Coordinates of all heavy atoms in Angstrom, one line a residue:
I54 N -154.7 -12.3 -182.7 CA -154.5 -12.1 -181.3 C -155.0 -10.8 -180.9 O -154.7 -9.7 -181.5 CB -153.0 -12.2 -180.9 CG1 -152.5 -13.5 -181.4 CG2 -152.7 -12.0 -179.5 CD1 -150.9 -13.7 -181.2
D55 N -155.8 -10.8 -179.9 CA -156.3 -9.6 -179.3 C -155.3 -8.9 -178.3 O -155.1 -9.5 -177.2 CB -157.7 -9.8 -178.6 CG -158.3 -8.5 -178.1 OD1 -157.8 -7.5 -178.6 OD2 -159.3 -8.6 -177.2
L56 N -154.7 -7.8 -178.6 CA -153.6 -7.2 -177.7 C -154.3 -6.2 -176.8 O -153.5 -5.6 -176.0 CB -152.5 -6.7 -178.6 CG -151.8 -7.6 -179.6 CD1 -150.7 -6.9 -180.3 CD2 -151.2 -8.8 -178.7
S57 N -155.6 -6.0 -176.8 CA -156.1 -5.1 -175.8 C -156.3 -5.7 -174.6 O -156.5 -6.9 -174.5 CB -157.5 -4.6 -176.4 OG -158.4 -5.5 -176.5
G58 N -156.2 -5.0 -173.5 CA -156.4 -5.5 -172.2 C -155.0 -6.1 -171.6 O -154.0 -6.1 -172.2
A59 N -155.1 -6.5 -170.4 CA -153.9 -6.9 -169.6 C -153.3 -8.1 -170.2 O -152.1 -8.3 -170.4 CB -154.2 -7.1 -168.1
V60 N -154.2 -9.2 -170.5 CA -153.8 -10.4 -171.0 C -153.1 -10.2 -172.4 O -151.9 -10.8 -172.6 CB -154.9 -11.5 -171.2 CG1 -154.4 -12.7 -171.7 CG2 -155.5 -11.8 -169.7
G61 N -153.7 -9.5 -173.2 CA -153.1 -9.1 -174.6 C -151.7 -8.5 -174.4 O -150.8 -8.8 -175.3
R62 N -151.6 -7.6 -173.6 CA -150.4 -6.9 -173.4 C -149.2 -7.9 -172.9 O -148.0 -7.8 -173.3 CB -150.5 -5.8 -172.5 CG -151.1 -4.5 -173.1 CD -151.1 -3.2 -172.3 NE -151.6 -3.3 -171.1 CZ -153.0 -3.1 -170.7 NH1 -153.8 -2.7 -171.7 NH2 -153.3 -3.2 -169.5
M63 N -149.7 -8.7 -172.0 CA -148.8 -9.7 -171.5 C -148.4 -10.7 -172.6 O -147.1 -11.0 -172.6 CB -149.4 -10.6 -170.4 CG -148.4 -11.6 -169.8 SD -149.2 -12.8 -168.7 CE -150.2 -13.8 -170.0
I64 N -149.2 -11.1 -173.4 CA -148.9 -11.9 -174.5 C -147.9 -11.4 -175.5 O -146.9 -11.9 -175.9 CB -150.1 -12.5 -175.2 CG1 -150.8 -13.5 -174.4 CG2 -149.7 -13.2 -176.6 CD1 -152.2 -13.9 -174.9
A65 N -148.3 -10.0 -175.7 CA -147.3 -9.3 -176.6 C -145.9 -9.1 -176.0 O -144.8 -9.3 -176.8 CB -147.9 -7.9 -176.9
A66 N -145.8 -8.8 -174.8 CA -144.5 -8.7 -174.1 C -143.7 -10.0 -174.2 O -142.6 -10.1 -174.3 CB -144.7 -8.2 -172.6
V67 N -144.4 -11.1 -174.0 CA -143.7 -12.4 -174.0 C -143.2 -12.6 -175.3 O -142.1 -13.1 -175.6 CB -144.7 -13.6 -173.5 CG1 -144.1 -15.0 -173.7 CG2 -145.1 -13.3 -172.0
L68 N -144.0 -12.5 -176.4 CA -143.6 -12.7 -177.8 C -142.4 -11.8 -178.1 O -141.5 -12.2 -178.9 CB -144.8 -12.4 -178.8 CG -145.9 -13.6 -178.7 CD1 -147.1 -13.2 -179.6 CD2 -145.4 -14.9 -179.0
L69 N -142.5 -10.6 -177.8 CA -141.4 -9.6 -178.1 C -140.2 -10.1 -177.3 O -139.0 -10.0 -177.9 CB -141.8 -8.2 -177.7 CG -142.8 -7.6 -178.6 CD1 -143.3 -6.2 -178.0 CD2 -142.3 -7.4 -180.0
G70 N -140.3 -10.5 -176.1 CA -139.1 -11.0 -175.3 C -138.4 -12.2 -176.0 O -137.2 -12.3 -176.2
L71 N -139.3 -13.2 -176.6 CA -138.7 -14.3 -177.2 C -138.1 -14.0 -178.5 O -137.0 -14.5 -178.9 CB -139.9 -15.3 -177.5 CG -140.4 -16.0 -176.4 CD1 -141.7 -16.8 -176.7 CD2 -139.4 -16.9 -175.7
A72 N -138.6 -12.9 -179.2 CA -138.0 -12.4 -180.4 C -136.6 -11.7 -180.1 O -135.7 -12.0 -180.8 CB -139.0 -11.5 -181.1
E73 N -136.6 -11.1 -179.0 CA -135.3 -10.4 -178.7 C -134.2 -11.5 -178.3 O -133.1 -11.4 -178.7 CB -135.5 -9.5 -177.5 CG -134.3 -8.7 -177.1 CD -134.5 -7.7 -176.0 OE1 -135.7 -7.4 -175.7 OE2 -133.7 -7.1 -175.5
I74 N -134.6 -12.5 -177.6 CA -133.7 -13.6 -177.3 C -133.2 -14.4 -178.5 O -132.0 -14.5 -178.7 CB -134.4 -14.6 -176.3 CG1 -134.6 -14.0 -174.9 CG2 -133.5 -15.9 -176.2 CD1 -135.4 -14.8 -174.0
E75 N -134.0 -14.5 -179.5 CA -133.7 -15.3 -180.7 C -132.7 -14.4 -181.5 O -131.8 -14.8 -182.0 CB -135.0 -15.6 -181.5 CG -134.7 -16.2 -182.9 CD -133.7 -17.5 -182.9 OE1 -133.9 -18.2 -181.8 OE2 -133.0 -17.6 -183.7
L76 N -132.9 -13.1 -181.6 CA -132.1 -12.1 -182.2 C -130.7 -12.2 -181.6 O -129.7 -12.2 -182.4 CB -132.6 -10.7 -182.2 CG -131.7 -9.7 -182.8 CD1 -131.7 -9.9 -184.3 CD2 -132.4 -8.3 -182.6
E77 N -130.6 -12.2 -180.2 CA -129.3 -12.3 -179.6 C -128.6 -13.6 -179.9 O -127.4 -13.5 -180.2 CB -129.5 -12.0 -178.1 CG -128.3 -12.0 -177.3 CD -128.5 -11.6 -175.9 OE1 -129.4 -10.9 -175.6 OE2 -127.7 -12.1 -175.0
Y78 N -129.3 -14.7 -179.9 CA -128.7 -16.0 -180.2 C -128.2 -16.1 -181.5 O -127.1 -16.6 -181.9 CB -129.6 -17.1 -179.9 CG -129.9 -17.4 -178.4 CD1 -131.1 -18.1 -178.1 CD2 -129.0 -17.1 -177.5 CE1 -131.3 -18.4 -176.7 CE2 -129.2 -17.4 -176.2 CZ -130.3 -18.1 -175.7 OH -130.6 -18.5 -174.5
R79 N -129.0 -15.4 -182.5 CA -128.6 -15.5 -183.9 C -127.3 -14.6 -184.1 O -126.3 -15.1 -184.8 CB -129.7 -14.9 -184.9 CG -129.3 -15.1 -186.3 CD -130.4 -14.5 -187.2 NE -131.7 -14.5 -186.7 CZ -132.7 -13.6 -186.9 NH1 -132.4 -12.6 -187.4 NH2 -133.9 -13.7 -186.2
Q80 N -127.1 -13.6 -183.4 CA -125.9 -12.8 -183.5 C -124.8 -13.5 -182.9 O -123.8 -13.4 -183.4 CB -126.2 -11.4 -182.8 CG -127.1 -10.5 -183.5 CD -127.5 -9.3 -182.8 OE1 -127.4 -9.3 -181.6 NE2 -128.0 -8.2 -183.4
Q81 N -125.0 -14.2 -181.8 CA -123.8 -14.9 -181.2 C -123.4 -16.0 -182.1 O -122.2 -16.3 -182.3 CB -124.3 -15.5 -179.9 CG -124.6 -14.4 -178.7 CD -125.1 -15.0 -177.5 OE1 -125.5 -16.2 -177.4 NE2 -125.3 -14.1 -176.5
R82 N -124.4 -16.8 -182.7 CA -124.0 -17.9 -183.6 C -123.2 -17.3 -184.8 O -122.3 -17.9 -185.3 CB -125.3 -18.6 -184.1 CG -125.8 -19.4 -183.0 CD -127.0 -20.4 -183.7 NE -128.0 -19.6 -184.4 CZ -129.2 -19.2 -183.9 NH1 -129.4 -19.4 -182.6 NH2 -130.1 -18.7 -184.6
Q83 N -123.7 -16.2 -185.4 CA -123.0 -15.5 -186.5 C -121.5 -15.2 -186.1 O -120.6 -15.4 -186.9 CB -123.8 -14.3 -186.9 CG -123.0 -13.6 -188.1 CD -123.8 -12.3 -188.5 OE1 -124.7 -11.9 -187.9 NE2 -123.4 -11.8 -189.7
M84 N -121.3 -14.5 -185.0 CA -120.0 -14.2 -184.5 C -119.1 -15.4 -184.3 O -118.0 -15.4 -184.6 CB -120.0 -13.3 -183.2 CG -120.7 -12.0 -183.4 SD -120.0 -11.0 -184.8 CE -118.4 -10.7 -184.2
A85 N -119.7 -16.4 -183.8 CA -118.9 -17.6 -183.6 C -118.6 -18.3 -184.9 O -117.4 -18.7 -185.1 CB -119.8 -18.7 -182.8
G86 N -119.5 -18.3 -185.9 CA -119.1 -18.7 -187.3 C -118.0 -17.9 -187.8 O -117.2 -18.4 -188.5
I87 N -118.1 -16.6 -187.7 CA -117.1 -15.8 -188.3 C -115.6 -16.0 -187.6 O -114.6 -16.1 -188.3 CB -117.5 -14.3 -188.2 CG1 -118.6 -14.0 -189.1 CG2 -116.2 -13.3 -188.3 CD1 -119.1 -12.6 -188.9
E88 N -115.7 -16.2 -186.3 CA -114.4 -16.5 -185.6 C -113.8 -17.9 -186.2 O -112.6 -18.0 -186.4 CB -114.6 -16.6 -184.1 CG -114.9 -15.3 -183.5 CD -113.7 -14.3 -183.7 OE1 -112.5 -14.7 -183.7 OE2 -113.9 -13.1 -184.0
V89 N -114.7 -18.9 -186.3 CA -114.2 -20.2 -186.9 C -113.6 -20.0 -188.2 O -112.6 -20.5 -188.6 CB -115.3 -21.3 -186.9 CG1 -114.9 -22.5 -187.7 CG2 -115.7 -21.6 -185.5
A90 N -114.3 -19.2 -189.1 CA -113.9 -19.0 -190.5 C -112.6 -18.2 -190.5 O -111.6 -18.5 -191.3 CB -115.0 -18.3 -191.2
K91 N -112.4 -17.3 -189.5 CA -111.1 -16.5 -189.5 C -109.9 -17.4 -189.2 O -108.9 -17.3 -189.7 CB -111.3 -15.3 -188.4 CG -112.0 -14.2 -189.0 CD -112.0 -13.2 -187.9 CE -112.7 -11.9 -188.5 NZ -112.7 -10.8 -187.5
T92 N -110.2 -18.4 -188.2 CA -109.1 -19.3 -187.9 C -108.8 -20.2 -189.0 O -107.6 -20.6 -189.1 CB -109.4 -20.1 -186.5 OG1 -110.7 -20.9 -186.8 CG2 -109.7 -19.3 -185.4
K93 N -109.7 -20.5 -189.8 CA -109.4 -21.4 -191.0 C -108.9 -20.6 -192.2 O -108.4 -21.2 -193.1 CB -110.7 -22.0 -191.4 CG -111.3 -23.1 -190.4 CD -112.5 -23.8 -191.0 CE -113.1 -24.8 -190.1 NZ -114.2 -25.4 -190.7
G94 N -108.9 -19.3 -192.0 CA -108.3 -18.4 -193.1 C -109.3 -18.2 -194.2 O -108.9 -17.8 -195.3
V95 N -110.6 -18.5 -194.1 CA -111.5 -18.4 -195.1 C -112.1 -16.9 -195.1 O -112.5 -16.3 -196.1 CB -112.7 -19.4 -194.8 CG1 -113.8 -19.2 -195.9 CG2 -112.1 -20.9 -194.9
Y96 N -112.4 -16.4 -193.8 CA -113.0 -15.1 -193.7 C -111.9 -14.0 -193.7 O -111.0 -14.0 -192.7 CB -113.9 -15.0 -192.5 CG -114.8 -13.9 -192.3 CD1 -116.0 -13.6 -192.9 CD2 -114.3 -12.8 -191.5 CE1 -116.7 -12.5 -192.7 CE2 -114.9 -11.7 -191.4 CZ -116.1 -11.5 -192.0 OH -116.9 -10.3 -191.8
R97 N -112.0 -13.1 -194.6 CA -111.0 -12.0 -194.5 C -111.7 -10.7 -194.5 O -111.0 -9.7 -194.5 CB -110.1 -12.1 -195.8 CG -109.2 -13.3 -195.8 CD -108.3 -13.4 -197.0 NE -107.5 -14.5 -197.0 CZ -107.8 -15.6 -197.8 NH1 -109.1 -15.7 -198.4 NH2 -107.2 -16.6 -197.7
G98 N -112.9 -10.6 -194.4 CA -113.6 -9.3 -194.3 C -113.9 -8.8 -195.7 O -113.6 -9.5 -196.7
R99 N -114.4 -7.6 -195.8 CA -114.8 -7.0 -197.1 C -113.4 -6.6 -197.8 O -112.5 -6.0 -197.2 CB -115.6 -5.8 -196.8 CG -116.2 -5.2 -197.9 CD -117.2 -4.1 -197.6 NE -117.8 -3.5 -198.8 CZ -118.8 -2.7 -198.9 NH1 -119.5 -2.6 -197.7 NH2 -119.3 -2.2 -200.0
K100 N -113.4 -6.7 -199.1 CA -112.3 -6.4 -199.9 C -112.3 -4.8 -200.0 O -113.3 -4.1 -200.0 CB -112.4 -6.9 -201.2 CG -112.1 -8.4 -201.2 CD -112.3 -8.9 -202.7 CE -112.2 -10.5 -202.6 NZ -112.2 -11.1 -204.0
K101 N -111.0 -4.2 -200.0 CA -110.8 -2.8 -200.1 C -111.1 -2.4 -201.6 O -110.8 -3.1 -202.5 CB -109.3 -2.5 -199.8 CG -108.9 -2.8 -198.4 CD -109.5 -1.9 -197.4 CE -109.0 -2.2 -196.0 NZ -109.7 -1.5 -194.9
V102 N -111.7 -1.3 -201.7 CA -112.1 -0.7 -202.9 C -110.9 -0.2 -203.7 O -110.7 -0.2 -204.8 CB -113.2 0.3 -202.9 CG1 -113.6 0.9 -204.2 CG2 -114.5 -0.4 -202.3
L103 N -110.1 0.6 -202.9 CA -109.0 1.3 -203.4 C -107.7 0.6 -203.0 O -107.5 0.1 -201.9 CB -108.8 2.8 -202.8 CG -110.1 3.7 -203.2 CD1 -109.9 5.0 -202.6 CD2 -110.3 3.7 -204.7
S104 N -106.7 0.6 -203.9 CA -105.5 0.0 -203.6 C -104.6 1.1 -202.8 O -105.0 2.3 -202.6 CB -104.5 -0.2 -204.9 OG -104.3 0.9 -205.5
T105 N -103.6 0.7 -202.2 CA -102.7 1.7 -201.3 C -102.1 2.7 -202.2 O -102.0 3.9 -201.7 CB -101.5 0.8 -200.7 OG1 -100.8 0.2 -201.7 CG2 -102.0 -0.1 -199.6
G106 N -101.9 2.4 -203.5 CA -101.5 3.5 -204.4 C -102.6 4.5 -204.7 O -102.3 5.7 -204.7
N107 N -103.8 4.0 -204.8 CA -104.8 5.0 -205.1 C -105.1 5.9 -203.7 O -105.5 7.0 -203.9 CB -106.1 4.2 -205.5 CG -106.1 3.8 -206.9 OD1 -105.3 4.4 -207.7 ND2 -107.0 2.9 -207.3
V108 N -104.9 5.3 -202.7 CA -105.2 6.0 -201.4 C -104.1 7.1 -201.2 O -104.5 8.3 -200.8 CB -105.1 5.0 -200.1 CG1 -105.2 5.8 -198.9 CG2 -106.3 4.1 -200.2
T109 N -102.9 6.7 -201.6 CA -101.8 7.8 -201.6 C -102.1 8.9 -202.6 O -102.0 10.1 -202.2 CB -100.5 7.2 -202.0 OG1 -100.2 6.1 -201.0 CG2 -99.3 8.2 -201.8
L110 N -102.6 8.6 -203.8 CA -103.0 9.6 -204.8 C -104.1 10.4 -204.3 O -104.1 11.6 -204.4 CB -103.3 8.9 -206.1 CG -103.8 9.7 -207.2 CD1 -102.7 10.7 -207.6 CD2 -104.2 8.8 -208.4
L111 N -105.0 9.7 -203.7 CA -106.3 10.4 -203.1 C -105.8 11.5 -202.1 O -106.2 12.7 -202.1 CB -107.2 9.5 -202.5 CG -108.5 10.0 -201.9 CD1 -109.3 10.5 -203.0 CD2 -109.2 8.8 -201.1
K112 N -104.8 11.2 -201.2 CA -104.4 12.0 -200.2 C -103.7 13.2 -200.7 O -103.7 14.3 -200.3 CB -103.5 11.3 -199.0 CG -104.3 10.4 -198.2 CD -103.4 9.8 -197.3 CE -104.3 8.9 -196.3 NZ -103.5 8.4 -195.3
Q113 N -102.8 12.9 -201.7 CA -102.0 14.0 -202.4 C -103.0 15.0 -203.0 O -102.7 16.2 -202.9 CB -101.1 13.4 -203.5 CG -100.0 12.6 -202.9 CD -99.2 11.8 -204.0 OE1 -99.7 11.8 -205.2 NE2 -98.1 11.2 -203.5
R114 N -104.0 14.5 -203.7 CA -105.0 15.4 -204.4 C -105.8 16.2 -203.3 O -106.1 17.3 -203.6 CB -105.9 14.7 -205.3 CG -104.9 14.1 -206.6 CD -105.8 13.4 -207.5 NE -106.8 14.1 -208.1 CZ -107.6 13.6 -209.1 NH1 -107.5 12.3 -209.4 NH2 -108.6 14.4 -209.6
I115 N -106.1 15.6 -202.2 CA -106.8 16.4 -201.2 C -105.9 17.4 -200.6 O -106.4 18.5 -200.3 CB -107.3 15.3 -200.1 CG1 -108.4 14.5 -200.6 CG2 -107.7 16.1 -198.8 CD1 -109.0 13.5 -199.7
A116 N -104.7 17.2 -200.5 CA -103.7 18.1 -199.9 C -103.5 19.3 -201.0 O -103.3 20.4 -200.6 CB -102.3 17.6 -199.8
K117 N -103.9 19.1 -202.3 CA -104.0 20.1 -203.2 C -105.3 20.9 -203.3 O -105.6 21.6 -204.3 CB -103.6 19.6 -204.6 CG -102.2 19.1 -204.7 CD -102.0 18.5 -206.2 CE -100.6 17.9 -206.3 NZ -100.4 17.2 -207.5
D118 N -106.1 20.6 -202.3 CA -107.4 21.3 -202.2 C -108.5 20.9 -203.2 O -109.3 21.7 -203.5 CB -107.2 22.8 -202.0 CG -106.7 23.2 -200.8 OD1 -106.7 22.6 -199.8 OD2 -105.8 24.3 -200.8
E119 N -108.4 19.7 -203.8 CA -109.4 19.2 -204.6 C -110.6 18.9 -203.7 O -110.4 18.3 -202.6 CB -109.0 18.1 -205.5 CG -107.9 18.5 -206.6 CD -107.8 17.4 -207.5 OE1 -108.7 16.7 -208.1 OE2 -106.6 17.0 -207.8
T120 N -111.8 19.0 -204.2 CA -113.0 18.7 -203.4 C -113.2 17.2 -203.1 O -112.9 16.4 -204.1 CB -114.3 19.3 -204.0 OG1 -114.5 18.6 -205.2 CG2 -114.2 20.8 -204.1
K121 N -113.6 16.9 -202.0 CA -113.7 15.4 -201.7 C -114.9 14.9 -202.4 O -114.8 13.7 -202.8 CB -113.9 15.3 -200.2 CG -112.7 15.7 -199.3 CD -113.0 15.5 -197.9 CE -111.7 15.9 -197.1 NZ -111.4 17.2 -196.9
T122 N -115.9 15.6 -202.7 CA -117.0 15.1 -203.4 C -116.7 14.8 -204.9 O -117.0 13.7 -205.4 CB -118.2 16.2 -203.4 OG1 -118.6 16.5 -202.1 CG2 -119.4 15.7 -204.2
H123 N -115.8 15.5 -205.4 CA -115.3 15.4 -206.8 C -114.5 14.1 -206.8 O -114.5 13.2 -207.8 CB -114.5 16.5 -207.4 CG -113.9 16.3 -208.6 ND1 -114.5 16.1 -209.9 CD2 -112.6 16.1 -208.9 CE1 -113.6 16.0 -210.8 NE2 -112.4 16.0 -210.2
L124 N -113.5 14.1 -205.9 CA -112.7 12.9 -205.9 C -113.4 11.6 -205.6 O -113.1 10.5 -206.2 CB -111.6 13.1 -204.8 CG -110.5 14.2 -205.1 CD1 -109.7 14.5 -203.9 CD2 -109.7 13.8 -206.3
A125 N -114.4 11.6 -204.7 CA -115.2 10.4 -204.5 C -115.9 9.9 -205.8 O -115.8 8.7 -206.1 CB -116.2 10.6 -203.4
K126 N -116.5 10.9 -206.5 CA -117.1 10.4 -207.7 C -116.1 9.9 -208.7 O -116.3 8.8 -209.4 CB -117.8 11.6 -208.3 CG -119.1 12.0 -207.6 CD -119.8 13.2 -208.3 CE -121.1 13.7 -207.5 NZ -121.7 14.7 -208.2
E127 N -114.9 10.5 -208.7 CA -113.9 10.1 -209.8 C -113.4 8.7 -209.4 O -113.0 7.9 -210.3 CB -112.7 11.1 -209.7 CG -111.6 10.7 -210.8 CD -110.6 11.9 -210.8 OE1 -110.9 13.0 -210.6 OE2 -109.4 11.5 -211.1
F128 N -113.2 8.3 -208.1 CA -112.7 7.2 -207.7 C -113.8 6.0 -207.6 O -113.5 5.0 -207.4 CB -111.9 7.2 -206.3 CG -110.5 7.8 -206.5 CD1 -110.3 9.2 -206.5 CD2 -109.4 7.0 -206.8 CE1 -109.0 9.7 -206.6 CE2 -108.1 7.5 -206.9 CZ -107.9 8.8 -206.8
G129 N -115.0 6.5 -207.8 CA -116.1 5.5 -207.7 C -116.5 5.1 -206.3 O -116.9 3.9 -206.2
I130 N -116.3 5.9 -205.4 CA -116.5 5.6 -204.0 C -117.5 6.6 -203.3 O -117.6 7.8 -204.0 CB -115.3 5.4 -203.1 CG1 -114.5 6.7 -203.1 CG2 -114.4 4.2 -203.5 CD1 -113.3 6.7 -202.2
S131 N -118.2 6.3 -202.2 CA -119.0 7.3 -201.6 C -118.0 8.3 -200.8 O -116.9 7.9 -200.5 CB -120.0 6.7 -200.6 OG -119.3 6.1 -199.6
R132 N -118.6 9.4 -200.5 CA -117.8 10.4 -199.5 C -117.5 9.7 -198.2 O -116.4 9.9 -197.7 CB -118.6 11.7 -199.4 CG -118.5 12.5 -200.6 CD -119.2 13.8 -200.4 NE -118.9 14.3 -199.0 CZ -119.7 15.3 -198.5 NH1 -120.8 15.9 -199.2 NH2 -119.5 15.8 -197.3
E133 N -118.4 8.9 -197.6 CA -118.2 8.2 -196.4 C -117.0 7.3 -196.5 O -116.2 7.2 -195.6 CB -119.5 7.5 -195.9 CG -119.3 6.8 -194.6 CD -118.9 7.6 -193.4 OE1 -119.4 8.8 -193.4 OE2 -118.2 7.2 -192.6
T134 N -117.0 6.6 -197.6 CA -115.9 5.6 -197.8 C -114.5 6.5 -198.0 O -113.5 6.0 -197.4 CB -116.0 4.8 -199.0 OG1 -117.3 4.1 -199.0 CG2 -115.0 3.8 -199.3
L135 N -114.5 7.6 -198.7 CA -113.3 8.4 -198.8 C -112.9 8.8 -197.4 O -111.7 8.8 -197.0 CB -113.7 9.6 -199.6 CG -112.5 10.6 -199.8 CD1 -112.7 11.0 -201.3 CD2 -112.6 11.7 -198.9
Y136 N -113.8 9.3 -196.5 CA -113.4 9.7 -195.1 C -113.0 8.5 -194.4 O -112.0 8.7 -193.5 CB -114.7 10.3 -194.4 CG -115.0 11.7 -194.8 CD1 -116.0 12.0 -195.6 CD2 -114.0 12.8 -194.6 CE1 -116.3 13.3 -196.1 CE2 -114.3 14.1 -195.0 CZ -115.5 14.4 -195.7 OH -115.7 15.6 -196.2
Q137 N -113.5 7.3 -194.6 CA -112.9 6.1 -193.9 C -111.5 5.9 -194.2 O -110.7 5.5 -193.4 CB -113.7 4.9 -194.2 CG -115.1 4.9 -193.6 CD -115.1 5.0 -192.0 OE1 -114.3 4.4 -191.4 NE2 -116.0 5.8 -191.5
Y138 N -111.2 6.0 -195.5 CA -109.8 5.8 -196.0 C -108.8 6.9 -195.4 O -107.7 6.6 -195.1 CB -109.7 5.8 -197.5 CG -110.0 4.5 -198.2 CD1 -111.1 4.4 -199.0 CD2 -109.1 3.5 -198.1 CE1 -111.4 3.1 -199.6 CE2 -109.4 2.3 -198.6 CZ -110.5 2.1 -199.4 OH -110.7 0.9 -200.0
L139 N -109.3 8.1 -195.3 CA -108.5 9.1 -194.6 C -108.3 8.9 -193.2 O -107.3 9.2 -192.7 CB -109.3 10.5 -194.9 CG -109.3 10.9 -196.4 CD1 -110.0 12.3 -196.5 CD2 -107.9 11.0 -197.0
K140 N -109.3 8.4 -192.6 CA -109.2 8.2 -191.1 C -108.3 7.0 -190.8 O -107.5 7.0 -189.8 CB -110.6 7.9 -190.5 CG -110.6 7.7 -189.0 CD -112.0 7.8 -188.5 CE -112.7 6.5 -188.9 NZ -114.1 6.4 -188.3
I141 N -108.3 6.0 -191.6 CA -107.4 4.7 -191.4 C -106.0 5.0 -191.4 O -105.2 4.7 -190.6 CB -107.8 3.6 -192.4 CG1 -109.2 3.1 -192.1 CG2 -106.9 2.5 -192.3 CD1 -109.7 2.2 -193.2
D142 N -105.6 5.8 -192.5 CA -104.2 5.9 -192.6 C -103.6 7.3 -192.1 O -102.5 7.6 -192.4 CB -103.9 5.8 -194.2 CG -104.2 4.5 -194.8 OD1 -104.1 3.5 -194.0 OD2 -104.6 4.3 -196.0
S143 N -104.4 7.9 -191.3 CA -104.0 9.2 -190.8 C -103.0 9.1 -189.6 O -102.8 8.2 -189.0 CB -105.1 10.0 -190.4 OG -106.0 10.4 -191.4

């Protein structure tokens, strides 16, 4: 497809518009499927990496000024996941 010139740019714009519409429809279908699965009790989301006991232990050790990087490595999680656990239960 020759995209140079006015006609080429118009064709590209139409194709990109169709791709955007398809992406939006796909996201809507996915969300509808997730809602149906949730009502059936099949979809529960991602499983937690740490148990509530480990989260409590993690918070205690952070209170003792242990580094978050060290604790994340020890518990086998990323620093971002560690911060998410701290944010949820704060």
Side-chain angles (χ1 to χ4, degrees):
I54 299 175
D55 182 18
L56 299 179
S57 61
V60 174
R62 287 191 300 271
M63 182 195 69
I64 290 173
V67 169
L68 291 175
L69 290 172
L71 291 172
E73 186 175 346
I74 289 169
E75 176 57 32
L76 177 64
E77 187 174 324
Y78 284 158
R79 186 179 331 141
Q80 290 172 342
Q81 290 174 358
R82 288 191 305 268
Q83 180 181 10
M84 293 306 295
I87 288 172
E88 288 302 317
V89 168
K91 282 182 179 180
T92 58
K93 291 180 180 179
V95 177
Y96 184 87
R97 294 183 183 95
R99 188 173 181 165
K100 293 181 181 178
K101 299 288 184 186
V102 176
L103 298 179
S104 65
T105 54
N107 281 343
V108 174
T109 304
L110 178 62
L111 181 68
K112 288 182 177 186
Q113 290 170 354
R114 292 179 64 181
I115 287 175
K117 294 179 183 176
D118 291 331
E119 290 191 48
T120 64
K121 292 178 178 81
T122 302
H123 170 74
L124 290 172
K126 286 181 183 178
E127 185 177 326
F128 282 89
I130 58 175
S131 68
R132 282 185 37 201
E133 178 61 29
T134 301
L135 183 141
Y136 283 110
Q137 291 298 321
Y138 276 112
L139 295 177
K140 185 169 67 171
I141 290 171
D142 296 330
S143 295

